Amino acid sequence: MSTFTIFLALIIIVAFLLVVVIMVQNPKGGGLSSSFGGGGQQLGGVKKTTDFLDKSTWTLATLLLVLILLSNVTIMDTPADAASGVFESDEPVNTEVPATQVPAQQPAQTDSAQ
């Protein structure tokens, strides 16, 4: 099992947890609506739950970003022979640039009927 596979599994787990934490949050009184004059009063236990969900959202989002960056480093560190065949092709690549065709100049037609 490669390190990229491990990072990929962790990314999927953290992304799922992030979706769950975001879906659990109560939309009433939060978000942009509270900053524009809305937002109700927070009661004792609800405030603590909101703080926990807010901190866990930021933590999971930061963890997801770090895991994605680390997985990118593991992709770049893999040797060329161990890389998957997705990026490689057995067909030769045509690097020739086709010559541009200039249209032939036609002689100007004069109106001799006048």
Side-chain angles (χ1 to χ4, degrees):
M1 184 178 260
S2 68
T3 56
F4 177 72
T5 307
I6 294 170
F7 278 121
L8 186 62
L10 289 173
I11 288 170
I12 291 171
I13 292 169
V14 170
F16 177 75
L17 289 175
L18 186 60
V19 168
V20 169
V21 167
I22 290 173
M23 295 300 288
V24 167
Q25 292 179 4
N26 189 6
K28 295 180 181 177
L32 290 177
S33 63
S34 66
S35 64
F36 291 116
Q41 297 289 335
Q42 296 286 342
L43 300 176
V46 176
K47 178 69 176 164
K48 298 289 183 188
T49 304
T50 305
D51 287 343
F52 170 73
L53 291 175
D54 188 42
K55 287 179 183 178
S56 62
T57 302
W58 282 106
T59 304
L60 286 171
T62 305
L63 182 62
L64 183 64
L65 181 66
V66 169
L67 284 173
I68 289 171
L69 291 174
L70 287 175
S71 69
N72 190 21
V73 170
T74 60
I75 289 175
M76 296 301 172
D77 287 343
T78 57
D81 57 342
S84 68
V86 175
F87 300 112
E88 298 173 4
S89 175
D90 293 336
E91 298 178 16
V93 177
N94 186 6
T95 58
E96 294 179 12
V97 178
T100 58
Q101 295 179 355
V102 179
Q105 298 261 341
Q106 295 182 356
Q109 295 179 353
T110 58
D111 193 13
S112 61
Q114 291 180 347

XYZ file of all heavy atoms in Angstrom:
833
model
N 0.852 -1.171 0.000
C 0.000 0.000 0.000
C 0.899 1.236 0.000
O 1.733 1.399 0.870
C -0.917 -0.029 1.224
C -1.895 1.097 1.258
S -2.989 1.002 2.675
C -4.425 0.298 1.903
N 0.712 2.098 -0.984
C 1.566 3.281 -1.114
C 1.102 4.381 -0.161
O -0.022 4.362 0.352
C 1.542 3.786 -2.550
O 0.269 4.303 -2.849
N 1.972 5.344 0.038
C 1.617 6.459 0.924
C 0.513 7.309 0.316
O -0.307 7.875 1.040
C 2.852 7.330 1.212
O 3.412 7.767 -0.025
C 3.886 6.576 2.005
N 0.486 7.382 -1.003
C -0.592 8.136 -1.643
C -1.952 7.500 -1.351
O -2.934 8.200 -1.112
C -0.369 8.232 -3.152
C -1.494 8.936 -3.861
C -1.651 10.304 -3.728
C -2.396 8.228 -4.633
C -2.690 10.963 -4.356
C -3.435 8.875 -5.269
C -3.583 10.250 -5.136
N -2.022 6.184 -1.351
C -3.274 5.486 -1.057
C -3.720 5.763 0.374
O -4.912 5.955 0.635
C -3.097 3.971 -1.278
O -2.571 3.762 -2.589
C -4.414 3.244 -1.132
N -2.767 5.808 1.283
C -3.092 6.114 2.680
C -3.619 7.538 2.790
O -4.637 7.791 3.449
C -1.854 5.904 3.572
C -1.475 4.424 3.591
C -2.101 6.420 4.985
C -0.142 4.140 4.232
N -2.947 8.487 2.127
C -3.416 9.870 2.155
C -4.789 9.996 1.513
O -5.644 10.745 1.994
C -2.423 10.802 1.461
C -1.276 11.214 2.328
C 0.021 10.936 1.950
C -1.490 11.893 3.515
C 1.078 11.319 2.739
C -0.434 12.279 4.314
C 0.855 11.994 3.926
N -5.026 9.253 0.445
C -6.317 9.309 -0.226
C -7.441 8.807 0.690
O -8.513 9.407 0.755
C -6.276 8.488 -1.519
C -7.507 8.566 -2.411
C -7.723 9.992 -2.890
C -7.348 7.626 -3.584
N -7.186 7.723 1.415
C -8.179 7.204 2.353
C -8.446 8.220 3.468
O -9.609 8.441 3.850
C -7.704 5.879 2.933
N -7.390 8.849 3.977
C -7.570 9.854 5.033
C -8.333 11.073 4.514
O -9.173 11.641 5.227
C -6.216 10.277 5.593
C -5.488 9.240 6.457
C -4.093 9.731 6.812
C -6.290 8.937 7.705
N -8.058 11.470 3.285
C -8.770 12.610 2.698
C -10.259 12.308 2.579
O -11.107 13.159 2.883
C -8.158 12.971 1.324
C -6.792 13.615 1.516
C -9.071 13.882 0.520
C -6.001 13.792 0.241
N -10.600 11.107 2.160
C -12.010 10.730 2.018
C -12.700 10.716 3.379
O -13.827 11.215 3.528
C -12.132 9.366 1.309
C -11.698 9.518 -0.153
C -13.549 8.815 1.403
C -11.576 8.218 -0.899
N -12.040 10.190 4.402
C -12.621 10.145 5.744
C -12.828 11.548 6.292
O -13.891 11.878 6.833
C -11.736 9.292 6.685
C -11.789 7.824 6.268
C -12.156 9.460 8.137
C -10.769 6.948 6.946
N -11.808 12.411 6.160
C -11.922 13.778 6.680
C -12.986 14.554 5.920
O -13.753 15.328 6.516
C -10.541 14.485 6.632
C -10.672 15.964 6.925
C -9.581 13.843 7.604
N -13.084 14.371 4.616
C -14.108 15.060 3.826
C -15.507 14.620 4.264
O -16.415 15.453 4.387
C -13.908 14.794 2.341
N -15.686 13.343 4.521
C -16.982 12.847 5.001
C -17.315 13.447 6.366
O -18.449 13.886 6.595
C -16.969 11.311 5.067
C -18.240 10.742 5.620
C -19.390 10.711 4.846
C -18.298 10.242 6.915
C -20.573 10.192 5.352
C -19.461 9.721 7.422
C -20.609 9.694 6.642
N -16.341 13.467 7.272
C -16.577 14.050 8.594
C -16.890 15.541 8.499
O -17.739 16.051 9.248
C -15.365 13.825 9.498
C -15.128 12.388 9.961
C -13.821 12.294 10.744
C -16.285 11.900 10.813
N -16.229 16.229 7.586
C -16.487 17.654 7.400
C -17.918 17.888 6.911
O -18.606 18.801 7.384
C -15.477 18.242 6.415
C -15.506 19.747 6.198
C -15.238 20.487 7.493
C -14.493 20.139 5.143
N -18.376 17.062 6.002
C -19.761 17.175 5.522
C -20.739 16.915 6.658
O -21.733 17.644 6.827
C -20.004 16.204 4.339
C -21.488 16.090 4.026
C -19.228 16.645 3.123
N -20.470 15.912 7.485
C -21.362 15.591 8.602
C -21.405 16.744 9.600
O -22.486 17.148 10.047
C -20.919 14.275 9.284
C -21.645 14.069 10.598
C -21.147 13.100 8.356
N -20.251 17.302 9.941
C -20.212 18.396 10.911
C -20.943 19.626 10.365
O -21.672 20.298 11.099
C -18.751 18.740 11.284
C -18.658 20.045 12.031
C -18.145 17.624 12.106
N -20.791 19.907 9.093
C -21.480 21.054 8.509
C -22.991 20.826 8.480
O -23.775 21.738 8.746
C -20.931 21.348 7.098
C -19.510 21.903 7.215
C -21.821 22.321 6.346
C -18.792 22.066 5.904
N -23.418 19.607 8.173
C -24.849 19.322 8.124
C -25.507 19.341 9.508
O -26.704 19.609 9.617
C -25.092 17.963 7.447
C -24.689 17.921 5.992
S -25.569 19.089 4.970
C -27.164 18.341 4.911
N -24.741 19.083 10.559
C -25.287 19.062 11.915
C -25.532 20.483 12.425
O -26.402 20.695 13.268
C -24.339 18.281 12.858
C -24.676 18.490 14.307
C -24.377 16.805 12.515
N -24.802 21.445 11.913
C -24.924 22.809 12.422
C -26.319 23.362 12.176
O -26.940 23.096 11.151
C -23.874 23.710 11.766
C -22.486 23.369 12.182
C -21.446 24.244 11.513
O -21.770 25.168 10.788
N -20.188 23.943 11.762
N -26.769 24.163 13.115
C -28.090 24.756 13.041
C -28.014 26.036 12.225
O -27.294 26.958 12.587
C -28.601 25.049 14.455
C -30.053 25.457 14.479
O -30.726 25.423 13.453
N -30.536 25.842 15.649
N -28.769 26.144 11.139
C -28.652 27.328 10.295
C -29.330 28.567 10.868
O -29.125 29.651 10.399
C -29.335 26.899 8.996
C -30.318 25.876 9.403
C -29.674 25.155 10.565
N -30.167 28.415 11.904
C -30.894 29.560 12.449
C -29.948 30.471 13.220
O -29.266 30.032 14.134
C -32.014 29.097 13.371
C -33.095 28.329 12.652
C -34.165 27.892 13.608
C -35.227 27.092 12.874
N -36.249 26.592 13.788
N -29.932 31.730 12.835
C -29.146 32.715 13.554
C -27.669 32.676 13.250
O -26.895 33.350 13.897
N -27.263 31.928 12.279
C -25.846 31.851 11.963
C -25.579 32.318 10.553
O -26.483 32.679 9.809
N -24.343 32.309 10.197
C -23.956 32.668 8.844
C -24.054 34.151 8.588
O -23.933 34.972 9.488
N -24.318 34.513 7.351
C -24.359 35.925 6.970
C -25.576 36.641 7.533
O -25.536 37.842 7.750
C -24.352 36.052 5.444
C -23.058 35.690 4.742
C -23.248 35.790 3.237
C -21.944 36.597 5.191
N -26.654 35.930 7.790
C -27.863 36.590 8.277
C -27.640 37.221 9.649
O -28.210 38.255 9.956
C -29.032 35.608 8.335
O -28.748 34.574 9.259
N -26.807 36.637 10.491
C -26.573 37.208 11.813
C -25.692 38.449 11.748
O -25.773 39.316 12.601
C -25.934 36.174 12.738
O -24.636 35.842 12.287
N -24.852 38.560 10.740
C -23.978 39.722 10.652
C -24.698 40.943 10.088
O -24.202 42.053 10.193
C -22.740 39.402 9.821
O -23.126 39.112 8.501
N -25.880 40.767 9.494
C -26.635 41.882 8.946
C -27.828 42.248 9.810
O -28.847 42.680 9.316
C -27.112 41.550 7.528
C -26.004 41.473 6.530
C -25.720 40.283 5.890
C -25.237 42.581 6.240
C -24.702 40.215 4.973
C -24.207 42.517 5.320
C -23.933 41.328 4.688
N -27.710 42.063 11.102
C -28.757 42.506 12.005
C -29.664 41.395 12.500
O -30.479 41.625 13.385
N -29.569 40.212 11.964
C -30.396 39.099 12.433
C -29.725 38.420 13.605
O -28.949 39.015 14.346
N -29.999 37.178 13.795
C -29.320 36.400 14.839
C -30.017 36.510 16.175
O -30.163 37.593 16.725
N -30.439 35.402 16.685
C -31.126 35.385 17.968
C -30.143 35.233 19.116
O -28.933 35.168 18.939
N -30.685 35.186 20.306
C -29.871 35.009 21.510
C -29.462 33.552 21.643
O -30.258 32.654 21.391
C -30.680 35.432 22.750
C -31.063 36.893 22.757
C -29.862 37.785 22.997
O -28.883 37.371 23.594
N -29.928 39.007 22.505
N -28.217 33.323 22.053
C -27.728 31.964 22.279
C -27.946 31.619 23.747
O -27.607 32.399 24.623
C -26.234 31.863 21.952
C -25.910 32.108 20.504
C -26.300 30.928 19.630
O -26.506 29.820 20.103
N -26.422 31.179 18.352
N -28.499 30.451 23.982
C -28.684 29.992 25.350
C -27.457 29.231 25.801
O -26.633 28.839 24.999
C -29.939 29.112 25.443
C -31.245 29.809 25.045
C -32.395 28.829 25.068
C -31.526 30.989 25.951
N -27.345 28.960 27.096
C -26.158 28.369 27.701
C -25.559 27.182 26.966
O -24.436 27.233 26.501
N -26.248 26.071 26.854
C -25.698 24.875 26.240
C -25.561 24.981 24.735
O -24.691 24.379 24.136
N -26.422 25.734 24.109
C -26.390 25.868 22.657
C -25.128 26.610 22.228
O -24.530 26.295 21.208
C -27.663 26.590 22.160
C -27.605 26.814 20.664
C -28.897 25.808 22.547
N -24.699 27.570 22.993
C -23.492 28.335 22.657
C -22.271 27.425 22.671
O -21.413 27.523 21.797
C -23.328 29.492 23.648
C -22.102 30.329 23.435
C -22.195 31.128 22.175
C -20.976 32.040 22.061
N -20.808 32.557 20.741
N -22.184 26.538 23.646
C -21.044 25.623 23.729
C -21.044 24.655 22.544
O -20.002 24.350 21.992
C -21.073 24.832 25.046
C -20.963 25.674 26.285
C -19.573 26.215 26.418
C -19.463 26.988 27.717
N -18.226 27.700 27.838
N -22.212 24.169 22.154
C -22.305 23.263 21.014
C -21.901 23.978 19.735
O -21.199 23.425 18.895
C -23.740 22.713 20.873
O -24.114 22.097 22.094
C -23.850 21.717 19.756
N -22.344 25.217 19.589
C -21.999 25.996 18.402
C -20.498 26.236 18.335
O -19.896 26.139 17.265
C -22.755 27.340 18.415
O -24.146 27.086 18.545
C -22.505 28.115 17.147
N -19.877 26.534 19.488
C -18.427 26.737 19.512
C -17.694 25.457 19.125
O -16.721 25.507 18.369
C -17.961 27.192 20.898
C -18.337 28.632 21.188
O -18.652 29.371 20.240
O -18.319 29.012 22.377
N -18.160 24.319 19.634
C -17.519 23.043 19.316
C -17.641 22.734 17.822
O -16.671 22.324 17.179
C -18.136 21.903 20.138
C -17.685 20.549 19.698
C -16.408 20.108 19.980
C -18.531 19.721 18.968
C -15.975 18.860 19.558
C -18.105 18.483 18.539
C -16.831 18.045 18.835
N -18.834 22.930 17.263
C -19.029 22.647 15.841
C -18.223 23.606 14.972
O -17.680 23.209 13.935
C -20.513 22.727 15.485
C -21.392 21.617 16.057
C -22.847 21.881 15.730
C -20.963 20.268 15.526
N -18.128 24.863 15.403
C -17.343 25.834 14.648
C -15.859 25.474 14.673
O -15.194 25.481 13.633
C -17.556 27.231 15.232
C -16.936 28.307 14.376
O -17.055 28.215 13.141
O -16.327 29.235 14.949
N -15.346 25.115 15.839
C -13.934 24.740 15.954
C -13.642 23.442 15.206
O -12.603 23.300 14.565
C -13.527 24.595 17.420
C -13.419 25.914 18.132
C -13.029 25.729 19.584
C -13.001 27.054 20.313
N -12.670 26.900 21.728
N -14.556 22.491 15.279
C -14.327 21.223 14.575
C -14.396 21.419 13.063
O -13.665 20.764 12.318
C -15.320 20.164 15.041
O -16.642 20.566 14.741
N -15.241 22.332 12.587
C -15.296 22.616 11.150
C -13.975 23.187 10.669
O -13.427 22.746 9.652
C -16.439 23.603 10.847
O -17.671 23.048 11.290
C -16.520 23.901 9.362
N -13.443 24.171 11.387
C -12.167 24.777 10.996
C -11.019 23.780 11.103
O -10.116 23.761 10.266
C -11.876 26.018 11.841
C -12.656 27.201 11.382
C -13.743 27.752 11.996
C -12.443 27.962 10.193
N -14.204 28.820 11.251
C -13.417 28.971 10.151
C -11.514 27.893 9.164
C -13.494 29.899 9.123
C -11.587 28.826 8.137
C -12.560 29.806 8.119
N -11.057 22.941 12.129
C -10.003 21.941 12.301
C -10.022 20.927 11.162
O -8.976 20.598 10.582
C -10.152 21.224 13.653
O -10.140 22.205 14.696
C -9.039 20.235 13.877
N -11.205 20.423 10.837
C -11.315 19.438 9.759
C -10.966 20.051 8.401
O -10.330 19.397 7.563
C -12.722 18.841 9.724
C -13.047 17.852 10.841
C -14.532 17.503 10.828
C -12.206 16.606 10.720
N -11.353 21.303 8.182
C -11.023 21.955 6.915
C -9.512 22.156 6.786
O -8.936 21.926 5.720
C -11.745 23.293 6.811
N -8.865 22.544 7.887
C -7.408 22.710 7.862
C -6.720 21.373 7.661
O -5.761 21.262 6.885
C -6.935 23.357 9.181
O -7.648 24.579 9.371
C -5.446 23.621 9.162
N -7.200 20.342 8.342
C -6.633 19.000 8.195
C -6.789 18.497 6.758
O -5.863 17.886 6.191
C -7.291 18.037 9.180
C -6.789 16.608 9.184
C -5.316 16.544 9.583
C -7.624 15.767 10.119
N -7.938 18.772 6.154
C -8.172 18.361 4.768
C -7.192 19.060 3.820
O -6.614 18.417 2.940
C -9.616 18.679 4.366
C -10.050 18.244 2.974
C -10.021 16.725 2.852
C -11.426 18.775 2.657
N -6.978 20.341 4.033
C -6.036 21.081 3.188
C -4.615 20.548 3.342
O -3.906 20.353 2.356
C -6.085 22.573 3.536
C -5.171 23.485 2.732
C -5.608 23.510 1.277
C -5.157 24.865 3.317
N -4.205 20.268 4.570
C -2.858 19.737 4.812
C -2.699 18.356 4.182
O -1.671 18.055 3.563
C -2.566 19.695 6.333
C -1.312 18.909 6.640
C -2.446 21.112 6.878
N -3.704 17.505 4.310
C -3.628 16.170 3.715
C -3.541 16.240 2.195
O -2.808 15.465 1.571
C -4.836 15.329 4.137
C -4.816 14.783 5.559
C -6.153 14.126 5.887
C -3.678 13.812 5.743
N -4.271 17.166 1.594
C -4.222 17.304 0.142
C -2.839 17.761 -0.295
O -2.271 17.250 -1.272
C -5.316 18.273 -0.338
C -6.688 17.617 -0.178
C -5.096 18.690 -1.781
C -7.851 18.550 -0.406
N -2.256 18.721 0.427
C -0.914 19.186 0.076
C 0.126 18.089 0.266
O 1.033 17.930 -0.555
C -0.558 20.419 0.904
C -1.357 21.685 0.571
C -1.013 22.794 1.544
C -1.111 22.110 -0.852
N 0.009 17.321 1.346
C 0.956 16.226 1.574
C 0.803 15.123 0.529
O 1.797 14.519 0.110
C 0.777 15.652 2.978
C 1.292 16.532 4.115
C 0.950 15.909 5.462
C 2.784 16.759 4.000
N -0.419 14.854 0.100
C -0.603 13.833 -0.937
C 0.007 14.293 -2.250
O 0.527 13.484 -3.015
C -2.080 13.512 -1.120
O -2.758 14.604 -1.695
N -0.033 15.585 -2.508
C 0.593 16.117 -3.710
C 2.104 15.926 -3.659
O 2.731 15.612 -4.665
C 0.244 17.597 -3.881
C 0.660 18.136 -5.215
O 0.849 17.391 -6.161
N 0.814 19.437 -5.290
N 2.697 16.097 -2.489
C 4.136 15.892 -2.338
C 4.482 14.425 -2.571
O 5.487 14.111 -3.212
C 4.603 16.356 -0.941
C 6.030 15.937 -0.665
C 4.457 17.856 -0.815
N 3.646 13.509 -2.097
C 3.933 12.086 -2.300
C 3.797 11.698 -3.768
O 4.488 10.801 -4.232
C 3.012 11.196 -1.447
O 1.654 11.441 -1.811
C 3.227 11.456 0.023
N 2.923 12.356 -4.508
C 2.806 12.080 -5.934
C 4.073 12.535 -6.647
O 4.613 11.846 -7.503
C 1.575 12.784 -6.542
C 0.308 12.125 -6.060
C 1.621 12.738 -8.066
C -0.941 12.836 -6.506
N 4.573 13.710 -6.278
C 5.754 14.255 -6.943
C 7.026 13.472 -6.602
O 7.969 13.466 -7.371
C 5.959 15.723 -6.549
C 4.855 16.614 -6.983
S 4.675 16.556 -8.758
C 3.202 17.477 -9.000
N 7.053 12.810 -5.455
C 8.245 12.076 -5.036
C 8.312 10.659 -5.584
O 9.320 9.987 -5.427
C 8.322 12.008 -3.505
C 8.711 13.354 -2.914
O 9.217 14.206 -3.664
O 8.508 13.541 -1.701
N 7.274 10.168 -6.221
C 7.293 8.802 -6.733
C 8.204 8.721 -7.947
O 8.196 9.610 -8.794
C 5.880 8.324 -7.117
O 5.342 9.236 -8.065
C 4.990 8.213 -5.913
N 8.987 7.667 -8.056
C 9.842 7.525 -9.231
C 9.012 7.296 -10.486
O 7.873 6.860 -10.420
C 10.716 6.312 -8.916
C 10.085 5.640 -7.759
C 9.184 6.617 -7.078
N 9.606 7.575 -11.634
C 8.864 7.501 -12.897
C 8.419 6.081 -13.222
O 7.356 5.876 -13.779
C 9.722 8.048 -14.024
N 9.225 5.081 -12.865
C 8.837 3.710 -13.192
C 7.728 3.193 -12.283
O 7.025 2.268 -12.632
C 10.050 2.779 -13.127
C 10.739 2.803 -11.772
O 10.516 3.762 -11.004
O 11.510 1.864 -11.492
N 7.550 3.791 -11.100
C 6.500 3.346 -10.189
C 5.204 4.116 -10.386
O 4.195 3.778 -9.789
C 6.961 3.506 -8.743
N 5.231 5.140 -11.210
C 4.030 5.943 -11.436
C 3.009 5.127 -12.206
O 3.338 4.208 -12.948
C 4.385 7.215 -12.207
N 1.768 5.496 -12.020
C 0.717 4.762 -12.716
C 0.753 5.086 -14.196
O 1.289 6.100 -14.622
C -0.644 5.129 -12.130
O -0.946 6.467 -12.434
N 0.151 4.238 -14.989
C 0.155 4.409 -16.418
C -0.873 5.407 -16.912
O -1.063 5.558 -18.106
N -1.544 6.089 -16.012
C -2.565 7.030 -16.426
C -1.942 8.197 -17.175
O -2.462 8.674 -18.172
C -3.340 7.551 -15.192
C -4.331 8.629 -15.588
C -4.033 6.409 -14.503
N -0.786 8.650 -16.710
C -0.154 9.803 -17.308
C 0.776 9.433 -18.457
O 1.290 10.300 -19.132
C 0.632 10.587 -16.253
C -0.241 11.077 -15.135
C -0.104 10.553 -13.869
C -1.198 12.037 -15.355
C -0.902 10.998 -12.841
C -2.002 12.497 -14.343
C -1.853 11.971 -13.078
N 1.014 8.175 -18.643
C 1.937 7.727 -19.672
C 1.166 7.141 -20.846
O 0.111 6.568 -20.697
C 2.889 6.676 -19.109
C 3.757 7.201 -17.982
C 4.573 6.101 -17.334
O 4.506 4.955 -17.817
O 5.247 6.387 -16.353
N 1.749 7.259 -22.031
C 1.121 6.728 -23.222
C 2.177 6.032 -24.062
O 3.320 6.486 -24.151
C 0.475 7.866 -24.021
O -0.025 7.360 -25.227
N 1.805 4.913 -24.669
C 2.731 4.183 -25.521
C 2.821 4.795 -26.913
O 3.740 4.493 -27.663
C 2.303 2.715 -25.636
C 2.442 1.996 -24.304
O 3.247 2.454 -23.467
O 1.753 0.982 -24.110
N 1.869 5.611 -27.274
C 1.863 6.211 -28.599
C 2.831 7.382 -28.646
O 2.930 8.156 -27.703
C 0.457 6.702 -28.933
C -0.574 5.593 -28.968
C -1.955 6.125 -29.257
O -2.076 7.272 -29.716
O -2.913 5.390 -29.019
N 3.538 7.522 -29.762
C 4.452 8.667 -29.868
C 3.662 9.975 -29.991
O 2.577 10.009 -30.565
C 5.250 8.377 -31.135
C 4.376 7.461 -31.919
C 3.591 6.653 -30.917
N 4.245 11.006 -29.472
C 3.591 12.300 -29.507
C 4.113 13.081 -30.707
O 5.324 13.189 -30.910
C 3.872 13.079 -28.203
C 3.242 14.457 -28.262
C 3.369 12.296 -27.011
N 3.228 13.602 -31.506
C 3.601 14.383 -32.673
C 3.854 15.813 -32.227
O 2.941 16.518 -31.827
C 2.491 14.332 -33.723
C 2.901 15.008 -35.015
O 4.049 15.414 -35.166
N 1.959 15.123 -35.931
N 5.116 16.248 -32.301
C 5.468 17.588 -31.857
C 5.669 18.551 -33.012
O 6.039 19.692 -32.795
C 6.765 17.541 -31.020
O 7.801 16.973 -31.806
C 6.559 16.742 -29.750
N 5.448 18.089 -34.220
C 5.627 18.948 -35.384
C 4.474 19.947 -35.464
O 3.321 19.610 -35.262
C 5.657 18.121 -36.664
C 6.847 17.196 -36.765
C 6.807 16.374 -38.042
O 5.990 16.701 -38.933
O 7.562 15.411 -38.135
N 4.830 21.167 -35.781
C 3.825 22.205 -35.937
C 3.437 22.254 -37.404
O 4.309 22.383 -38.269
C 4.382 23.567 -35.479
C 3.356 24.662 -35.691
C 4.824 23.494 -34.039
N 2.165 22.133 -37.706
C 1.778 22.146 -39.115
C 2.034 23.526 -39.723
O 1.881 24.556 -39.074
C 0.282 21.823 -39.082
C -0.162 22.173 -37.710
C 1.034 21.978 -36.820
N 2.467 23.518 -40.965
C 2.728 24.768 -41.670
C 1.406 25.451 -41.963
O 0.426 24.818 -42.334
C 3.486 24.493 -42.958
N 1.401 26.733 -41.783
C 0.179 27.468 -42.063
C 0.081 27.718 -43.554
O 1.076 28.000 -44.229
C 0.167 28.819 -41.325
O 1.306 29.564 -41.728
C 0.192 28.615 -39.832
N -1.080 27.597 -44.066
C -1.290 27.780 -45.494
C -1.768 29.201 -45.739
O -2.730 29.660 -45.136
C -2.314 26.781 -46.013
C -1.849 25.350 -45.916
C -2.897 24.390 -46.426
O -4.002 24.795 -46.763
N -2.552 23.122 -46.501
N -1.068 29.871 -46.617
C -1.439 31.231 -46.974
C -2.321 31.145 -48.209
O -1.946 30.517 -49.204
C -0.179 32.083 -47.259
C -0.559 33.501 -47.652
C 0.742 32.061 -46.063
N -3.479 31.760 -48.173
C -4.344 31.669 -49.347
C -3.705 32.392 -50.526
O -3.039 33.415 -50.379
C -5.639 32.355 -48.910
C -5.283 33.151 -47.706
C -4.074 32.505 -47.101
N -3.894 31.819 -51.682
C -3.308 32.397 -52.899
C -4.001 33.709 -53.220
O -5.209 33.835 -53.077
C -3.448 31.426 -54.058
N -3.199 34.672 -53.648
C -3.730 35.982 -54.003
C -4.393 35.889 -55.369
O -3.782 35.429 -56.327
C -2.604 37.011 -54.033
C -1.933 37.195 -52.709
C -2.471 38.422 -51.989
O -3.052 39.275 -52.606
N -2.251 38.477 -50.703
N -5.602 36.300 -55.478
C -6.293 36.311 -56.752
C -6.169 37.708 -57.353
O -6.233 38.704 -56.642
C -7.758 35.942 -56.562
C -7.940 34.526 -56.065
C -9.426 34.180 -55.929
O -10.279 35.005 -56.136
N -9.687 32.936 -55.565
N -5.994 37.768 -58.663
C -5.881 39.092 -59.275
C -7.189 39.857 -59.107
O -8.269 39.285 -59.105
C -5.592 38.784 -60.745
C -5.969 37.361 -60.947
C -5.891 36.692 -59.610
N -7.039 41.135 -58.938
C -8.227 41.974 -58.750
C -9.037 42.013 -60.035
O -8.474 42.149 -61.131
C -7.791 43.383 -58.359
N -10.317 41.870 -59.918
C -11.180 41.873 -61.087
C -11.643 43.300 -61.343
O -12.059 44.007 -60.430
C -12.386 40.968 -60.867
C -12.022 39.507 -60.723
C -13.255 38.650 -60.476
O -14.332 39.142 -60.288
N -13.039 37.350 -60.482
N -11.536 43.681 -62.567
C -11.986 45.010 -62.935
C -13.312 44.888 -63.642
O -13.571 43.918 -64.363
C -10.959 45.705 -63.854
O -10.765 44.894 -64.997
C -9.648 45.904 -63.131
N -14.109 45.828 -63.444
C -15.418 45.807 -64.075
C -15.299 46.454 -65.456
O -15.218 47.668 -65.597
C -16.431 46.544 -63.194
C -17.851 46.307 -63.621
O -18.085 45.393 -64.431
O -18.723 47.030 -63.127
N -15.207 45.660 -66.514
C -15.017 46.176 -67.864
C -16.327 46.502 -68.564
O -16.343 46.988 -69.670
C -14.209 45.181 -68.686
O -14.915 43.969 -68.769
N -17.424 46.209 -67.919
C -18.714 46.441 -68.550
C -19.091 47.910 -68.513
O -20.011 48.317 -69.177
C -19.769 45.610 -67.873
N -18.423 48.731 -67.764
C -18.799 50.139 -67.678
C -18.400 50.867 -68.874
O -17.764 51.299 -69.547
C -18.212 50.790 -66.439
C -18.848 50.269 -65.205
C -18.239 50.928 -63.959
O -17.224 51.570 -64.028
N -18.885 50.732 -62.856
